Amino acid sequence: MSESLMEAVPGFDQPIAVLKHCHDKIRKQLKTLQNLLAHLPVHGADAAAQGAAQAVLKYFNTAAHLHHADEEQDLLPMLEATATGADLELISALKPRILEQHLQMDKDWHILNSQLERIAAGTAAELSPDDVARFVQSYTAHMETEESQVAPMAKRLFSPAQMQIMGDAMQRRRGISAEPEVNSPSVAQAAAPTVTAAAIAGGIALADLRMDYGRASLSKEDTLDDPVAQFTKWFGEAMKAQVNEPNAMSVATVGSDGRPTSRIVLIKQYDERGFTWYTNYASQKGRQLADNPHAALLFFWPELERQVRIEGRVERTSAEESDKYFYSRPVKSQLAAIASAQSAPIANRAEMEARYAAVEAESGDKPRRPDHWGGYRLVPDRLEFWQGRRSRFHDRIVYTRQADGSWTRERIQP
């Protein structure tokens, strides 16, 4: 018996077969997600449920985005450059639909991700059937489009040389060694900073540190009509690119004395209402927002040479929203939020630990959200999308909210 008993995995010399293999793995994860939905009402977030949630999270957070990048950066552009006649008309019609499907799948995953994280941690056993159904339907329709129309066209039109180019690009994207194309620097090389080091007391002159950007461009035509939708698009791309802490943002506030302060926090939710984070209302930022309910947020994603600036007024979330998030956190994080008088001086770490122990003894495993802890939502009136470009000639597209709630969009100079 000479046949291998193991499923053969296609090599990157067959890039279209690799894409189909990715689809097969996605289908398995979607099936796991559906099985988990049926499992939870009966067994809760038991070890099996936690393991299933962890598997789905791992795949869609670390691998699925590579498949999207293969299509957006290689497959579709190569087909557009190669196809003619009816083939070109078809791919031109399909491309916007495929890109829109990517955006929808990213949005659907963003909703499911937080639910699955709580199941994986064993702190909740709730998974929305509607959210699962929408996610599965989006992915299934997307894969059917590619397998029935896009992949057959690529197999028919691509030359062996084009297949090799695409396979090499897919390998590099996954960190697998592939021979670089002549005169074509790798992504890592392209992203490397150009540094002129002037020795100053054994160090480097800060004025001589330079990075010349050039990965992408941004025009008004590239952006969506709604700035929150545009943020969703960029946030999804930051997730796909495995940006370090893509949800980290700087929050800048100004107190009654007119002095600004800033700090890094993690965004916990965003939608058409605004951008939400949670904190101690009695902290420094809480006191400043009580004096001046306006703030500025900044997301910086250096791997993509992008930043997003968001400005607007700040309001507190409802008690119901604050409760929902507080009780979704691990119990130890709940206890820490109660024990810490954020921003207030304390003698030493030992005193902090003692306060935590006292709260833990009093609250047990069911602490109550304190009135001084909850959410803030920045309601934006200005968003700027910044794309780094060469020679500091950056692209900047700004959205400004009008009195009637609509948005204007314009380019401003770097």
Side-chain angles (χ1 to χ4, degrees), residues 141-258:
H142 171 72
M143 292 187 292
E144 288 175 352
T145 298
E146 289 198 338
E147 291 172 5
S148 65
Q149 297 179 288
V150 179
M153 184 188 301
K155 287 182 179 179
R156 179 164 46 84
L157 296 183
F158 285 174
S159 66
Q162 287 174 304
M163 289 292 191
Q164 180 179 346
I165 291 170
M166 184 174 174
D168 288 349
M170 292 168 69
Q171 284 182 275
R172 287 193 293 271
R173 187 168 292 117
R174 289 158 176 78
I176 303 170
S177 177
E179 289 298 322
E181 299 170 32
V182 178
N183 298 324
S184 177
S186 69
V187 171
Q189 292 170 324
T194 300
V195 178
T196 303
I200 297 181
I204 294 177
L206 295 181
D208 287 341
L209 284 170
R210 293 184 178 90
M211 175 180 285
D212 209 12
Y213 301 111
R215 282 193 170 184
S217 62
L218 183 66
S219 68
K220 286 176 62 176
E221 292 71 27
D222 294 329
T223 56
L224 303 174
D225 292 339
D226 180 81
V228 177
Q230 179 63 33
F231 180 85
T232 298
K233 180 176 184 292
W234 269 26
F235 189 84
E237 290 172 0
M239 292 281 287
K240 289 185 203 175
Q242 295 184 288
V243 166
N244 184 39
E245 298 269 33
N247 54 334
M249 62 183 184
S250 169
V251 177
T253 54
V254 178
S256 58
D257 58 1

Side-chain angles (χ1 to χ4, degrees), residues 244-320:
N244 184 39
E245 298 269 33
N247 54 334
M249 62 183 184
S250 169
V251 177
T253 54
V254 178
S256 58
D257 58 1
R259 295 173 65 91
T261 58
S262 64
R263 73 289 290 163
I264 300 295
V265 305
L266 299 180
I267 189 172
K268 294 301 178 182
Q269 180 185 357
Y270 69 89
D271 52 32
E272 66 280 355
R273 297 174 299 170
F275 298 79
T276 301
W277 71 97
Y278 292 85
T279 189
N280 188 313
Y281 291 142
S283 65
Q284 181 192 45
K285 57 184 169 294
R287 295 193 302 271
Q288 290 182 327
L289 287 170
D291 293 333
N292 180 358
H294 295 85
L297 311 179
L298 174 65
F299 292 85
F300 180 47
W301 299 317
E303 295 89 338
L304 297 177
E305 301 172 351
R306 289 175 174 174
Q307 61 178 323
V308 183
R309 298 170 57 188
I310 307 171
E311 301 167 11
R313 62 178 176 82
V314 178
E315 60 187 23
R316 291 189 182 187
T317 60
S318 67
E320 291 76 16

Side-chain angles (χ1 to χ4, degrees), residues 336-393:
I338 299 170
S340 173
Q342 193 176 98
S343 302
I346 196 165
N348 50 49
R349 179 78 189 187
E351 186 174 335
M352 288 173 53
E353 300 287 356
R355 287 172 62 93
Y356 181 93
V359 168
E360 185 176 29
E362 180 181 350
S363 302
D365 60 356
K366 293 185 178 180
R368 185 185 69 84
R369 179 181 69 86
D371 293 336
H372 63 259
W373 194 97
Y376 284 112
R377 177 181 293 112
L378 184 142
V379 181
D381 52 40
R382 184 183 188 277
L383 295 91
E384 177 187 322
F385 294 84
W386 181 98
Q387 177 69 61
R389 297 295 301 275
R390 295 197 181 281
S391 304
R392 296 297 181 266
F393 229 48

Side-chain angles (χ1 to χ4, degrees), residues 388-402:
R389 297 295 301 275
R390 295 197 181 281
S391 304
R392 296 297 181 266
F393 229 48
H394 308 305
D395 289 329
R396 301 172 67 187
I397 304 298
V398 173
Y399 294 78
T400 305
R401 191 191 294 271
Q402 303 304 295

